[in-house]
Amino acid sequence: MRLVLVGPPGAGKGTQAQFIAEHVAMPKISTGDIFRANVSEGSPLGVQAKAYMDRGDLVPDDVTIDMVRNRLAEPDALDGFLLDGFPRTVPQAQTLDDILRETADSELDVVLELVVDDDEVIRRLSGRRTCRTCNHIWHVDFDPPKEPDVCDLDGGELYQRDDDQAETIANRLEVYAESTAPLVAYYAGRGVLIGIDATGPVDDVTQRAIDALRPLRAGVSDA
Ligand code: AP5
């Protein structure tokens, strides 16, 4: 299965990607995570991306597309994947179509859109904490760790992302409306878009996603 998660910043893409990828047994590929890993290593890619990320702007398409093209060529992604955070512009989506045609003579099976409003996004992003070692995502109110700033899963230190400051969140929402929201119409027109209500408890959202994928998975395994 080749699956894309789309939705505004803070919609819960990273949180849900973890669970859905396990459910469909496909690798989760998050462009945000790959960029952040490069930033913390200080690699040339990380140095290039950091200024854009700190402002809440998109990293230029050519840089992002090269990175994704390389990742999708790795053996674990050849039979399917769950993409979180890519594509984010219509040119990225068109290039993804080309990459899939060239490498695997295939196309996307489904695009899941996580639907939440801006007030909820702001509540979620301002309380988000991420584990420095395993990248697990927590929230100080909605999904708190047992001990503040310590990951329950591996004891790693929790940190607040630089782009989760109020001003940067506002810019990320504008960038989403301008550059990424048009993707929803693009994929709706292709007949691969499924919208999911992403409010309410995390487990409920996961269940809605799994329910939405069920008919499609039956089709994939029958094929
Ligand atoms: P990226 O990391 O992709 O950021 P994003 O899309 O803005 O999304 P977030 O990671 O902020 O939110 P999310 O939807 O994953 O929510 P989460 O699950 O964490 O990208 C970062 C930057 O990298 C970009 O700004 C850009 O510069 C660059 N970049 C990345 N990809 C790019 C691309 N393709 N092109 C160009 N540039 C690119 O949840 C948020 C919080 O809510 C958490 O605390 C969580 O615990 C909580 N939460 C989740 N679900 C629920 C729920 N149901 N109820 C209550 N709380 C919940």
Side-chain angles (χ1 to χ4, degrees), residues 117-192:
D117 64 28
D118 287 2
D119 289 342
E120 180 68 8
V121 160
I122 291 163
R123 272 194 293 275
R124 288 184 183 185
L125 292 184
S126 42
R128 171 166 56 190
R129 299 292 182 273
T130 306
C131 177
R132 218 174 265 293
T133 45
C134 74
N135 283 328
H136 188 84
I137 301 162
W138 301 92
H139 191 282
V140 292
D141 299 317
F142 303 137
D143 186 16
K146 291 194 190 94
E147 218 182 300
D149 298 328
V150 179
C151 179
D152 288 3
L153 303 182
D154 67 354
E157 179 200 1
L158 303 187
Y159 74 99
Q160 184 167 27
R161 278 172 41 176
D162 290 341
D163 58 353
D164 281 347
Q165 307 303 321
E167 257 180 41
T168 318
I169 293 173
N171 186 44
R172 287 162 67 199
L173 282 168
E174 278 178 32
V175 169
Y176 180 81
E178 193 176 314
S179 302
T180 308
L183 271 186
V184 172
Y186 175 83
Y187 282 128
R190 293 254 308 267
V192 291

Side-chain angles (χ1 to χ4, degrees), residues 15-144:
T15 302
Q16 294 301 332
Q18 193 81 24
F19 298 125
I20 298 170
E22 276 167 27
H23 183 77
V24 297
M26 289 295 161
K28 170 185 89 113
I29 300 174
S30 158
T31 44
D33 285 351
I34 301 174
F35 280 132
R36 278 185 289 279
N38 276 276
V39 169
S40 55
E41 283 161 17
S43 74
L45 176 65
V47 171
Q48 204 175 358
K50 187 174 183 331
Y52 296 97
M53 297 174 77
D54 285 351
R55 287 194 301 269
D57 289 336
L58 295 182
V59 179
D61 279 350
D62 55 342
V63 175
T64 308
I65 286 167
D66 278 354
M67 180 179 89
V68 172
R69 190 189 294 280
N70 291 336
R71 179 63 186 88
L72 290 180
E74 289 178 25
D76 67 327
L78 293 179
D79 290 334
F81 49 75
L82 184 158
L83 275 170
D84 158 22
F86 184 94
R88 257 172 145 98
T89 62
V90 171
Q92 289 185 8
Q94 289 164 335
T95 308
L96 177 61
D97 292 340
D98 294 342
I99 294 172
L100 294 182
R101 258 194 306 272
E102 286 159 20
T103 56
D105 194 19
S106 64
E107 52 189 32
L108 279 182
D109 294 299
V110 64
V111 176
L112 279 185
E113 180 197 7
L114 300 185
V115 181
V116 290
D117 64 28
D118 287 2
D119 289 342
E120 180 68 8
V121 160
I122 291 163
R123 272 194 293 275
R124 288 184 183 185
L125 292 184
S126 42
R128 171 166 56 190
R129 299 292 182 273
T130 306
C131 177
R132 218 174 265 293
T133 45
C134 74
N135 283 328
H136 188 84
I137 301 162
W138 301 92
H139 191 282
V140 292
D141 299 317
F142 303 137
D143 186 16

